[in-house]
Amino acid sequence: MMILKKYVLDLSRETLFEAWVSPDMTIPPVTKIESNPVLRGVFKLWAESPEAVGIMTGIFEEVIWNEKLKYTWQWEGSEEESLVSVEFEQDGNQTTIHLEHSGFLSQESKDAHDVGWDSYVDGLVAKIKLDIK
């Protein structure tokens, strides 16, 4: 099972890439981020909501600055380790983000991540625009 998403945003790919890997870009339900965006670097998120508290850990498998990220994604206590690939493509004043997330063990997990990505990108864009002002 795989999620394929495409987001076209009115921000530069440099801005979006840097925000994507920044420990300062906590978007609820994420409360804390550790990020070392280098090959084999660790990416770790702490999330907290009324439904659950969790820690996600990933390892960067590919980092091409301002162009591409590929990292593993695994929630603590879960057997499911998925793979996220994100490409940032500049087109004039807009950036297209191509996101692929694969390796789900259940439809429920895939559906939860599908909704989660939309929420994350909306929150990321809102936070970037707040920081720009």
Side-chain angles (χ1 to χ4, degrees):
M1 286 183 270
M2 178 184 300
I3 294 170
L4 293 172
K5 296 236 176 229
K6 178 180 169 181
Y7 303 97
V8 179
L9 306 168
D10 292 326
L11 293 162
S12 73
R13 73 181 183 169
E14 291 81 7
T15 297
L16 287 163
F17 184 95
E18 288 174 20
W20 202 280
V21 297
S22 172
D24 299 324
M25 287 295 167
T26 55
I27 310 300
V30 173
T31 58
K32 180 181 172 185
I33 300 171
E34 285 181 13
S35 179
N36 184 16
V38 298
L39 187 62
R40 306 301 301 152
V42 174
F43 186 52
K44 197 168 190 177
L45 305 176
W46 285 260
E48 196 170 323
S49 71
E51 296 82 30
V53 174
I55 299 172
M56 187 290 301
T57 303
I59 302 293
F60 287 102
E61 293 189 351
E62 186 174 2
V63 178
I64 303 172
W65 208 258
N66 295 326
E67 292 182 28
K68 185 176 182 181
L69 293 167
K70 187 182 283 189
Y71 51 93
T72 60
W73 181 281
Q74 184 172 23
W75 286 102
E76 191 174 75
S78 172
E79 291 183 18
E80 179 180 87
E81 181 178 79
S82 55
L83 185 63
V84 178
S85 178
V86 189
E87 294 186 29
F88 302 82
E89 180 184 318
Q90 188 78 44
D91 184 17
N93 293 330
Q94 295 183 319
T95 299
T96 301
I97 294 176
H98 299 276
L99 182 136
E100 180 180 306
H101 192 164
S102 61
F104 301 102
L105 298 179
S106 71
Q107 187 66 43
E108 180 183 17
S109 178
K110 177 184 178 277
D111 292 347
H113 283 89
D114 192 27
V115 170
W117 282 119
D118 292 343
S119 178
Y120 172 74
V121 171
D122 288 346
L124 187 71
V125 169
K127 192 161 187 171
I128 290 170
K129 290 188 176 185
L130 265 177
D131 288 350
I132 290 173
K133 289 183 179 183

